Amino acid sequence: MIPLFKENLEDDSLHTLEKRMIRALALHREMKKLLEAEYAAGQKFDSRELNKLILRKNNCVNRFKHLVGSILDQLKRMAGRKLPRTCPRTLANRVRAIPGLTPDFEATLLPLARELEEENRLLIQATRRNMVMLKGAINRFWAVSQYTHQGETL
């Protein structure tokens, strides 16, 4: 017979946090691939491929937003104390604030947290690069449309 309640709830929630962090890393990698493909399609002015990639990216962003929200909610539930105001609000510091964090879990979760933060920084840089490229393309299209519609009144 399977018990209704888990005997070691702390370990179970730490395993769940680890799984969510690993899923977030996988989504980071998928987003990087999509951003690279979006950049390549934008350089070629392939609007059909760009539309497909934007839809896939929006789906991935929604999944990522839900996953990050669930990680933060779980960290809030597990936190025994609030971080001091002088402590940076990094994911690694939030993981360290979990009461009863064993050295085994600390050795597993802290590198994951640091890797997630680094992947997030790289994702932000790639997104900014794509935004600059797409704004430049939109400005060029606008200039071409102004040139082709000279003298026409709307």
Side-chain angles (χ1 to χ4, degrees):
M1 183 161 167
I2 300 173
L4 293 176
F5 299 104
K6 301 240 178 189
E7 293 175 11
N8 199 346
L9 189 60
E10 291 83 20
D11 286 352
D12 186 48
S13 59
L14 288 172
H15 282 294
T16 304
L17 180 64
E18 181 183 2
K19 287 178 188 176
R20 287 179 179 170
M21 290 170 88
I22 290 171
R23 282 194 359 228
L25 278 173
L27 279 174
H28 269 103
R29 292 182 185 109
E30 183 178 344
M31 282 287 290
K32 278 200 299 192
K33 289 177 186 175
L34 287 173
L35 287 171
E36 289 297 325
E38 181 184 67
Y39 188 77
Q43 293 288 356
K44 296 178 193 173
F45 299 109
D46 187 0
S47 62
R48 177 174 283 167
E49 184 67 23
L50 200 57
N51 286 336
K52 289 178 189 176
L53 289 169
I54 288 172
L55 286 174
R56 286 179 53 203
K57 184 179 72 174
N58 288 341
N59 182 21
C60 192
V61 165
N62 288 335
R63 287 186 294 154
F64 188 69
K65 189 188 315 181
H66 175 72
L67 186 59
V68 167
S70 68
I71 287 172
L72 291 177
D73 287 343
Q74 185 172 1
L75 281 172
K76 284 178 187 175
R77 283 192 310 268
M78 293 171 68
R81 62 186 191 281
K82 287 191 174 186
L83 291 175
R85 290 181 184 256
T86 57
C87 184
R89 302 281 191 258
T90 62
L91 188 57
N93 287 341
R94 290 179 184 203
V95 168
R96 277 191 201 106
I98 296 173
L101 187 66
T102 63
D104 293 335
F105 278 115
E106 188 173 347
T108 305
L109 292 176
L110 287 180
L112 271 174
R114 288 187 187 106
E115 188 176 356
L116 267 172
E117 288 176 342
E118 181 61 30
E119 289 286 330
N120 197 33
R121 280 188 215 99
L122 294 173
L123 205 62
I124 289 170
Q125 289 172 353
T127 302
R128 286 180 181 157
R129 179 197 64 191
N130 284 10
M131 286 175 48
V132 168
M133 183 265 310
L134 290 173
K135 283 182 182 179
I138 288 171
N139 288 338
R140 285 189 295 246
F141 286 137
W142 179 81
V144 168
S145 72
Q146 294 299 313
Y147 178 76
T148 58
H149 297 296
Q150 283 181 355
E152 293 181 15
T153 58
L154 297 175

